[in-house]
Amino acid sequence: NGVHIEVVANVASSGEAADAFANGADGVGLLRTEFLFVDRQTAPDDEEQRSAYQAVIDAMGNKSVIIRTIDVGGDKQLDYLPLPIEANPVLGLRGIRLAQARPELLDQQLRALLQVSPLSRCRILLPMVTEVDELLHIRQRLDALCIELNVSERPELGVMIEVPAAALLAEQLAEHADFLSIGTNDLSQYTLAMDRDHAGLAARVDALHPALLRLIAQTCAGAAQHKRWVGVC
């Protein structure tokens, strides 16, 4: 119907990014940075992270790359980051909440991201945001690190819409975020109160459920108020 829709790829390595680019992807909509942190005994340092992010950006030609900050915690554990056992891990310390509890992890990741080139093609995505203050705090931290590293250019900073609270606050988040990315897997399970890994319920976690579609519509309407780009993962 004449409406152009970007098709971008979810990737977890520079090899997958190269495959996506070769097959016509308009960019990377989500680089899962957890691949750098799992199955090892120590956290990757700044240079290892920078090199990995740079390789993905290089693999995508002139396309933009959305890089999600580390999303572990809950049911995704790291050997070198002991966390308390939680009764409801998907409702616990994960995503941006872990970054708040262990800010040095996020600071190191942001430093690495601020050193890629060209920075204009790197877009940073924050997982599990539920309120505007979380976004504002990370934006302040990003600004401080830019000053520390003498970086004049600011990369775009976006938030994942994967909990109902974020969808309902989409307009307020879009005022302060450069873009939004709807994570339909988590948004489905949190909206329907059904664990997507539950053998007896997984088939009912429906990404086309009317309630979920309303939240997606509300997210898009809120983003449109501030002319923000919206992706769907």
Side-chain angles (χ1 to χ4, degrees):
N1 64 0
V3 176
H4 176 78
I5 297 175
E6 291 175 273
V7 178
V8 292
N10 283 4
V11 303
S13 67
S14 58
E16 290 184 3
D19 288 343
F21 183 72
N23 284 281
D26 292 314
V28 167
L30 176 65
L31 171 64
R32 304 175 188 277
T33 58
E34 295 76 51
F35 80 96
L36 279 169
F37 294 84
V38 298
D39 299 325
R40 55 189 297 161
Q41 299 304 310
T42 57
D45 62 19
D46 292 33
E47 177 53 28
E48 183 181 352
Q49 289 194 51
R50 187 209 63 79
S51 177
Y53 305 145
Q54 186 66 57
V56 174
I57 287 171
D58 291 344
M60 289 307 296
N62 63 348
K63 310 292 187 184
S64 73
V65 175
I66 295 176
I67 300 177
R68 186 178 68 187
T69 58
I70 184 171
D71 185 14
V72 296
D75 59 342
K76 290 181 282 188
Q77 297 289 338
L78 300 177
D79 291 341
Y80 52 87
L81 186 68
L83 295 169
I85 294 176
E86 299 176 296
N88 293 299
V90 295
L91 300 179
L93 200 63
R94 56 168 297 200
I96 206 69
R97 299 168 187 171
L98 176 63
Q100 291 164 334
R102 297 291 300 268
E104 71 280 3
L105 268 180
L106 183 63
D107 275 5
Q108 184 182 45
Q109 190 166 35
L110 293 176
R111 281 192 187 92
L113 288 166
L114 288 171
Q115 295 176 73
V116 301
S117 178
L119 197 52
S120 59
R121 286 181 38 227
C122 174
R123 305 166 77 188
I124 300 172
L125 181 61
L126 305 175
M128 289 297 294
V129 170
T130 58
E131 52 193 68
V132 176
D133 280 353
E134 292 172 321
L135 168 61
L136 293 177
H137 173 74
I138 301 300
R139 190 175 279 289
Q140 288 171 354
R141 195 68 208 118
L142 191 64
D143 287 343
L145 290 170
C146 284
I147 293 169
E148 177 189 310
L149 296 169
N150 196 27
V151 173
S152 58
E153 188 175 8
R154 297 291 191 273
E156 286 193 5
L157 184 65
V159 297
M160 288 209 79
I161 305 297
E162 48 192 340
V163 296
L168 294 169
L169 291 175
E171 183 179 346
Q172 289 77 13
L173 287 167
E175 182 179 352
H176 301 284
D178 297 304
F179 65 97
L180 304 180
S181 178
I182 302 169
T184 55
N185 285 341
D186 271 324
L187 188 58
S188 298
Q189 76 169 349
Y190 289 127
T191 301
L192 302 175
M194 292 182 182
D195 184 350
R196 66 186 190 186
D197 292 326
H198 190 294
L201 295 174
R204 294 173 58 192
V205 182
D206 180 11
L208 296 177
H209 190 287
L212 187 68
L213 294 180
R214 287 189 181 194
L215 289 174
I216 291 172
Q218 184 162 347
T219 299
C220 293
Q225 292 291 317
H226 301 282
K227 297 181 171 58
R228 302 302 192 205
W229 182 95
V230 181
V232 176
C233 168

